Amino acid sequence: MPKSKRSEPLDHRKAEGIKMQQGGGSDTEVTWEDQQNINKFGRLNNRFHELEDEIKIAKETCDNLEDASNELILTDEEVVRFQIGEVFAHVQKDEVEGRIEEMKAVTSEKLENLKEEKESVLAEMAELKKILYGKFKDSINLEED
């Protein structure tokens, strides 16, 4: 009876069994560090897409607050209905104007922070692309379809 091979865990210091074939047919060894860079690129790419979604939502919120502010300017009433959570309350027009301005400022600041983080993520992804394409050439695809 043949002796079965025991599967051994992959040692991160010697990724001997993992190779990538380049377009020319030669093999390129994938080291533990390379795998960490590939994983990091994947995480950054996921974060990039999350940030795009969050930026879209923040822009819509800014637009909605601007619309609400404009509508408030056009109204003649001194007391207006203002939504607080799930409930509408009757609040003085001046107080609502102040609250909307505060909400616009907070949302705008959040939007700027999200844009800055997106730029940072893109810069880090570009650096990893240079490293990974430098080693693996056309045997790795880091572009989106």
Side-chain angles (χ1 to χ4, degrees), residues 24 30 41 47 89-90 100 103 108 114 118 121 129 140 144:
V30 180
F41 183 87
R47 182 62 184 145
H90 292 279
I100 288 177
M103 292 167 70
S108 294
L114 290 170
K118 179 181 169 185
V121 166
K129 276 184 183 182
I140 189 169
E144 298 198 28

Side-chain angles (χ1 to χ4, degrees), residues 75-137:
T75 188
D76 293 336
E77 299 176 24
E78 288 302 312
V79 176
V80 294
R81 292 184 339 151
F82 185 72
Q83 185 175 3
I84 302 172
E86 300 286 323
V87 188
F88 284 94
H90 292 279
V91 182
Q92 291 294 319
K93 180 179 175 182
D94 295 339
E95 185 179 340
V96 172
E97 286 174 343
R99 286 188 181 192
I100 288 177
E101 289 305 315
E102 288 175 22
M103 292 167 70
K104 282 174 28 179
V106 168
T107 304
S108 294
E109 183 179 336
K110 179 182 176 184
L111 181 59
E112 288 305 312
N113 291 339
L114 290 170
K115 287 180 179 180
E116 288 173 12
E117 185 180 352
K118 179 181 169 185
E119 292 304 315
S120 172
V121 166
L122 282 173
E124 203 169 344
M125 286 173 67
E127 188 63 34
L128 286 171
K129 276 184 183 182
K130 282 197 296 193
I131 293 168
L132 293 169
Y133 278 133
K135 180 164 185 180
F136 298 111
K137 312 275 186 270

Side-chain angles (χ1 to χ4, degrees), residues 20-93:
M20 292 185 85
Q21 198 173 62
Q22 291 184 345
S26 63
D27 289 340
T28 302
E29 187 174 317
V30 180
T31 64
W32 183 80
E33 184 179 334
D34 296 331
Q35 188 61 52
Q36 295 306 309
N37 284 338
I38 292 167
N39 293 345
K40 185 175 184 179
F41 183 87
R43 287 190 303 272
L44 288 170
N45 191 43
N46 288 340
R47 182 62 184 145
F48 171 76
H49 288 290
E50 289 171 359
L51 285 168
E52 282 189 324
D53 292 341
E54 290 177 32
I55 287 170
K56 181 181 175 188
I57 291 168
K59 283 180 180 178
E60 289 173 0
T61 302
C62 281
D63 291 344
N64 290 341
L65 289 170
E66 188 64 36
D67 290 346
S69 179
N70 291 339
E71 288 295 321
L72 200 57
I73 290 170
L74 297 175
T75 188
D76 293 336
E77 299 176 24
E78 288 302 312
V79 176
V80 294
R81 292 184 339 151
F82 185 72
Q83 185 175 3
I84 302 172
E86 300 286 323
V87 188
F88 284 94
H90 292 279
V91 182
Q92 291 294 319
K93 180 179 175 182

